[in-house]
């Protein structure tokens, strides 16, 4: 696996760059990842907020 495929927070951010990092890692559009994150968070009783906070702490900066 090359170094550009590592999961890292990006500078393309609204809050912390987590969705931007996930989008880059998956090769998807960042807006799609953000929309999917919001929908998943709503339908999982807002547990996505906890997941986002954990990823914010765990993911290194780009």
């Amino acid at each position: 696996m090359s170094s550009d495929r590592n999961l890292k927070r990006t500078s393309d951010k609204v809050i912390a760059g987590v969705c931007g990092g996930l989008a880059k890692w998956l090769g998807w559009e960042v807006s799609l990842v953000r929309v999917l994150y919001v929908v998943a968070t709503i339908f999982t009783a807002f547990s996505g907020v906890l997941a986002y906070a954990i990823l914010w702490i765990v993911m290194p900066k780009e």
Side-chain angles (χ1 to χ4, degrees):
M1 184 181 293
S2 66
S3 64
D4 63 333
R5 291 284 299 164
N6 288 337
L7 185 57
K8 296 181 180 179
R9 292 184 286 149
T10 66
S11 58
D12 179 14
K13 61 183 176 181
V14 173
I15 298 175
V18 172
C19 289
L22 286 171
K24 186 174 182 180
W25 186 66
L26 293 169
W28 296 359
E29 288 291 322
V30 68
S31 56
L32 174 64
V33 173
R34 289 179 180 138
V35 168
L36 290 174
Y37 168 75
V38 169
V39 170
T41 298
I42 291 170
F43 285 108
T44 60
F46 296 92
S47 63
V49 175
L50 179 62
Y52 192 94
I54 291 169
L55 287 172
W56 187 352
I57 293 166
V58 174
M59 287 173 67
K61 290 183 181 177
E62 186 174 48

